[in-house]
Amino acid sequence: MDIRQLRYFIAIAEEGQITAAAKRLQMAQPPLSQQLKQMEDELGVALVERIGKRIELTEAGATLYKQALNITHQLEEALTEVKETGDGIRGMLSIGVSALSAYRLPEQIRQYQQHYPLIRYQVWKGDTQLLSDWLEKRTIEVAIVRLPHSLGNCVTIPLEEEPFVLIVPAGSPLSMNNEIAMRDVAQHPLIMPSTPGLGIYEMLTKEFTRLGVSPHVICECPDISLTVSLVAAGVATALIPHSAWETHKNENIHCLMVTGTSVSSSAAIVWHAERHLSKAARHFIEMFAPKTGAPDS
Amino acid sequence: MDIRQLRYFIAIAEEGQITAAAKRLQMAQPPLSQQLKQMEDELGVALVERIGKRIELTEAGATLYKQALNITHQLEEALTEVKETGDGIRGMLSIGVSALSAYRLPEQIRQYQQHYPLIRYQVWKGDTQLLSDWLEKRTIEVAIVRLPHSLGNCVTIPLEEEPFVLIVPAGSPLSMNNEIAMRDVAQHPLIMPSTPGLGIYEMLTKEFTRLGVSPHVICECPDISLTVSLVAAGVATALIPHSAWETHKNENIHCLMVTGTSVSSSAAIVWHAERHLSKAARHFIEMFAPKTGAPDS
DNA sequence: TACATCCATATGAAAAAAGTATGAAAGACA
DNA sequence: TGTCTTTCATACTTTTTTCATATGGATGTA
């Protein structure tokens, strides 16, 4: 019993007549009679009652008709679902973000949602090492990280660059100013939005070294919102990407532009170089890193 | 896309390998590869990812796998349901009963249920004319009526015969006796469990005429339990089939055997002579009129 | 590097499905 | 009642689909 036969039977049931059903199916009548008989033989059950010229469903036939409708509908829906999944307009998109990039994600997903409303998401947050593991294990398909990263065997597409800003507690003397030189940042207690070994930490440290100063790091905190809270509480100052300031700003902290340095932060979308990327992931990359064009697999 | 291909895909998905899937399906590997490719072409979607020797499902493939499991299971269940319906162990059995036979039905259905637990019922109650209409319109498949009936074009299988009894109010003088002659029944106010034109009414009337007496009919009531209530209330006496007495007896009425007459009541199962009888209906007939054997269509 | 394993392609054989021709039975209508 | 039409079933042929065998390329392994 296959789908084709179910469709045949639906036509027969609805037309109430083999000849008409054959016409509707655009086929000759004899093969349809044959198929009907074959179905009855296979099931060992009479599906129709031959009353002279007319034909009428038996109870078993009526049961089969209902079920056949169900099944063919379900199959159709299944196929469109598969097609949509293949086309990337339906399915699961699993994304990993580093702590410093996490704040961007909600807006990105909201935007993506408007174009692809059927997509569902898995969002993971973790440090570079975890992201790398997750990419490897396919827990996530793409990751959004801060550059520089240390992920091996990955395609990296940088998003726009942005400067670092220094955030300080609202009441502190520094909050009178609107900018500060990078080398002067070293004079103030500093929270690093990262930990040793990670890209940002190393990059900032290197920059201070280049300027011949040594920062007064009193805290390392790889969670951006916690970092901001610490600053708001007056614990210290912190260097964070400008956009992170935009999303976390409040009346308890003040922001200073940092001058006299070229270090900047740049987020990037990365994914495993030798892996199949789902259409959904490609769409995501296209939307947020459109200049590069979407990779072709 | 047909069921066969879904089964193929299930095997491929579960084995994770075309060769192994082919072995499990007891077929050669090349045609399976072909079918897989054909499915991908039809859907316009990659279902598996060829990673060197290995094969892995894409998201679309995983979606198809889940749906394929659903659909094949549903098909299997549908087919067994159709078979069972055809075999008469599942489905709808619609039965009509006359008022005088209704009291038997619950026990009959209870009994039938024990053999065919998947059968569901539609039970209708009405007079001969209604039953005839319902048989004609296929509202009901079989009817249980009192003989004689006036149903045209029907097969009739009588159930066992049973005598009429006279029921009288518990306190009445008649309740001292245990039997009464038919001709003496005419001396007492009588409720006929039927109305003119119906079989039972005519049969009883004819019998009184034959005996040269005229019954004192003060009420006609084609509802047996209402008839019994009327007697219990002391309105009159009533002639009813013995089994009706058995099911309705209570302390307010007394029962007398009727002698000096050969009239008896007999229920019968009837059905449309030229109609297809469902297996379920045949089973029902076999169970309650086994002597005749089941008719063959 | 040789070997085994797995998938893909090509080609021919077998099976299944569809088409054509035709007959029998049932309803319609003069 | 007897044609005439309609409808389903059967016999036979053609076409399509599916499967199997042979074989080559790619990948991972001893």
Side-chain angles (χ1 to χ4, degrees), chain A residues 176-195:
Chain A
M176 311 311 301
N177 307 319
N178 283 324
E179 57 177 54
I180 184 171
M182 183 68 173
R183 55 179 309 137
D184 296 336
V185 170
Q187 298 169 5
H188 303 278
L190 190 66
I191 302 172
M192 289 290 267
S194 187
T195 47

Side-chain angles (χ1 to χ4, degrees), chain B residues 36-49:
Chain B
L36 177 59
K37 191 183 174 195
Q38 197 172 310
M39 293 171 79
E40 290 184 315
D41 290 347
E42 181 183 338
L43 291 170
V45 159
L47 297 172
V48 299
E49 207 180 326

Side-chain angles (χ1 to χ4, degrees), chain B residues 123-134:
Chain B
V123 178
W124 302 78
K125 184 161 139 186
D127 62 36
T128 307
Q129 184 53 47
L130 270 174
L131 291 175
S132 176
D133 288 352
W134 290 336

